[in-house]
Amino acid sequence: MPTVTLSTSKPTTARADVLVLGIRNDDDKGELAEALDLMGFSGEKGQTVRFPSGGLAKAPVVVAVALPAEPTAEDLRRAAANGVRAAKNATSVAVALHPAGVDEVEAIAEGIELGTYRYEAYKTKKNDKKAREVTSAAILTPFARQGTATRALERAATVAAAVNAARDWVNTPPGDKRPADLVEAFTQHAGTDVKVTVWDEKRLAKERCGGILGVGQGSDSPPRLLTLSYEPEDAVSHLALVGKGITFDSGGLSIKPGASMQTMKLDMAGAAAVVAATVAIARLGLPIKVTAYACVAENMPSGRATRPGDVLRMRSGATVEVHNTDAEGRLVLADGLSLAAETSPDHIVDVATLTGACMVALGQHTTGILGNDEEFSETVLAVSRDAGESMWRLPITEEMKGVVTSSSIGDLRQHNPKPYGGTLFAAAFLREFVGDVPWAHLDIAGPSFNEGSAFDYTPVGGTGTGVRTLVRLATELAGAR
Ligand code: BES
Ligand code: ZN
Ligand code: ZN
């Protein structure tokens, strides 16, 4: 991540390889007007043009970035990322986007730190490494000397580092993050900021976690449950987080077609998000108790794998008739949700790449929010907006409750026999495990992984989606903003 600093310099005098200059569509473009027009700069949001400064500014190159007349924090986050990404070959940039306040400074810093992310752990060619990258960025703002601005910068760095850690974990090839490896990576990342406990397969059996064990039993690499806890003395609330951590989803015996399996290393993005967010919340010192459960397993077919028709006995005591071993996420989450609910937290949020159906409903950039508490779902939706993550509420309809409880031989059926409302059915299933605790379920199947090309601050591959909303939510529930 580049080092981001604040500076009171004027755009024309800032020293950097590239000056990223925000141009609002109501700005008087002065002597640049004609040239910008000739370069095709229409002022459409997100647009950039790059040109030599020709003595207009101390920086030898200028990247102009289009902004609306009154940019939101999200507009600035994207503009900063687009500007810095367009500053090809620069190692230092000065970013002049005229933030109206410290929240805007924070968004710009996040945009820079998220937009410059690259995943190069498996690149061996020296030439690739030589491609220059931005190592320092100065945000130009008159608030540079204010303590609140410095704290905003620190917050941005903590949150962006968390998002980037989640991206790294998602991008890691599935053979290099089998359950024990992934749990080790999470533990390393947590350091001493939060308390970590790991249950192996023997402990999971002792604790009757039949959902996690049932999903993981087909793999040579047994499942794990990792619990992180952050418990500050001044905590005003207790938030429990649960993440789906399928290190690879082959579908199990209900095996996926090859093409659908290609990206299934992404299936632990929910666990990555809750772990990264919890560590960030601890590093920010927010006055809220957070307990995070990462339900980690590899979903593989084998002679030991769970079969369609098998019945699993879950942590809650309920029995579940399995119909499709590719609907494994709800089985691991169910045990995590039971463990969370047993501690009677004030709220539970689970994050999961749960259903392809959610992508059918909302597309690839929007998370589905479902839950058992109107007010809490609205709170999650509101903080997602502030965080700049696209989310939308979906209902758990009455129809689904009847289907969930319609197993012929067990208490619950795992899979909807009809191909309709798959996201709602999955949430109705999860609801059976949270008791009375206000709970929200985030289905991140779409936005967790970018299969297209990079845009704004979203890179190709793992996106780290969910982290920023969870940190905001904790901030809100802690009354710290
Ligand atoms: N991990 C998948 C969901 C998924 C699909 C995430 C595409 C990201 C992109 C999940 O375990 C799964 O396979 N779900 C099935 C459920 C079905 C069998 C009820 C699905 O969505 O098809
Ligand atoms: Zn699956
Ligand atoms: Zn899955």
Side-chain angles (χ1 to χ4, degrees):
M1 238 168 48
T3 310
V4 180
T5 53
L6 301 176
S7 161
T8 52
S9 297
K10 294 208 166 22
T12 47
T13 57
R15 281 178 196 281
D17 295 338
V18 171
L19 169 69
V20 173
L21 182 65
I23 299 192
R24 299 191 179 173
N25 55 21
D26 63 339
D27 273 348
D28 172 11
K29 295 167 193 74
E31 41 194 322
L32 281 177
E34 195 185 353
L36 283 171
D37 189 40
L38 287 167
M39 286 186 290
F41 188 82
S42 63
E44 196 186 318
K45 221 153 92 167
Q47 198 184 26
T48 59
V49 286
R50 188 160 55 121
F51 54 90
S53 71
L56 278 176
K58 209 162 240 162
V61 171
V62 177
V63 169
V65 198
L67 290 173
E70 282 179 30
T72 61
E74 177 63 6
D75 289 333
L76 292 170
R77 201 179 277 115
R78 292 182 189 185
N82 285 323
V84 174
R85 288 199 304 123
K88 295 196 179 72
N89 297 318
T91 57
S92 62
V93 293
V95 180
L97 296 179
H98 327 295
V102 290
D103 286 352
E104 285 74 13
V105 170
E106 187 171 337
I108 292 168
E110 279 181 3
I112 296 167
E113 290 157 345
L114 297 173
T116 48
Y117 173 85
R118 299 190 210 180
Y119 186 68
E120 291 180 329
Y122 291 81
K123 294 273 187 206
T124 59
K125 287 209 202 88
K126 292 282 171 288
N127 284 347
D128 288 345
K129 291 255 180 207
K130 244 199 237 158
R132 276 186 273 171
E133 53 184 278
V134 172
T135 53
S136 67
I139 299 173
L140 309 189
T141 166
F143 317 119
R145 296 206 180 85
Q146 292 179 13
T148 51
T150 311
R151 281 193 292 282
L153 208 60
E154 287 167 4
R155 260 196 319 267
T158 303
V159 172
V163 174
N164 288 338
R167 290 171 171 179
D168 279 348
W169 292 326
V170 172
N171 287 330
T172 302
D176 288 348
K177 58 173 177 197
R178 300 185 80 197
D181 308 322
L182 185 61
V183 159
E184 176 59 23
F186 286 164
T187 305
Q188 288 296 324
H189 177 77
T192 52
D193 294 325
V194 294
K195 196 173 133 231
V196 184
T197 53
V198 176
W199 288 357
D200 64 7
E201 68 277 23
K202 289 191 203 84
R203 182 69 190 269
L204 284 165
K206 209 186 246 168
E207 302 285 351
R208 307 178 312 283
C209 291
I212 298 174
L213 286 167
V215 171
Q217 75 189 36
S219 169
D220 293 337
S221 186
R224 297 283 184 268
L225 178 101
L226 172 131
T227 309
L228 294 182
S229 63
Y230 164 60
E231 207 171 340
E233 271 169 19
D234 51 354
V236 297
S237 184
H238 179 197
L239 172 64
L241 303 175
V242 180
K244 171 177 175 182
I246 301 298
T247 62
F248 182 68
D249 183 11
S250 71
L253 289 172
S254 313
I255 198 160
K256 286 182 184 291
S260 322
M261 223 187 272
Q262 188 59 43
T263 55
M264 281 303 128
K265 67 174 183 179
L266 65 73
D267 218 16
M268 35 57 72
V274 304
V275 170
T278 303
V279 173
I281 290 162
R283 291 189 180 151
L284 292 170
L286 295 176
I288 180 167
K289 175 176 170 180
V290 181
T291 317
Y293 303 84
C295 310
V296 182
E298 188 182 35
N299 189 21
M300 295 293 259
S302 81
R304 279 178 286 119
T306 292
R307 292 153 284 262
D310 276 345
V311 171
L312 302 177
R313 193 175 295 272
M314 314 294 281
R315 166 80 188 185
S316 72
T319 54
V320 174
E321 182 183 5
V322 174
H323 291 86
N324 186 322
T325 62
D326 196 13
E328 80 299 338
R330 62 200 69 177
L331 299 174
V332 299
L333 288 171
D335 285 345
L337 290 169
S338 294
L339 289 164
E342 285 166 23
T343 68
S344 304
D346 297 301
H347 300 94
I348 302 178
V349 178
D350 78 74
V351 187
T353 46
L354 206 62
T355 63
C358 199
M359 299 161 77
V360 175
L362 299 177
Q364 288 183 285
H365 296 169
T366 301
T367 291
I369 305 176
L370 300 96
N372 63 354
D373 187 286
E374 283 289 311
E375 198 186 323
F376 186 51
S377 291
E378 278 300 315
T379 302
V380 174
L381 180 64
V383 296
S384 74
R385 290 214 175 100
D386 294 340
E389 294 193 307
S390 174
M391 301 203 182
W392 197 253
R393 286 185 60 192
L394 295 172
I396 304 182
T397 51
E398 257 326 290
E399 176 190 1
M400 297 303 168
K401 165 88 185 166
V403 193
V404 164
T405 50
S406 71
S407 167
S408 54
I409 76 161
D411 300 327
L412 300 172
R413 63 174 291 149
Q414 169 227 17
H415 170 50
N416 187 354
K418 295 202 186 130
Y420 308 119
T423 307
L424 324 188
F425 177 89
F429 180 88
L430 296 178
R431 185 174 59 181
E432 296 294 317
F433 299 88
V434 297
D436 297 332
V437 183
W439 153 78
H441 158 61
L442 305 184
D443 192 330
I444 59 167
S448 62
F449 199 83
N450 177 17
E451 285 184 69
S453 36
F455 61 94
D456 300 329
Y457 50 80
T458 304
V460 172
T463 61
T465 200
V467 173
R468 289 184 292 138
T469 295
L470 292 177
V471 174
R472 282 265 170 168
L473 178 65
T475 309
E476 172 81 19
L477 297 174
R481 207 184 176 98

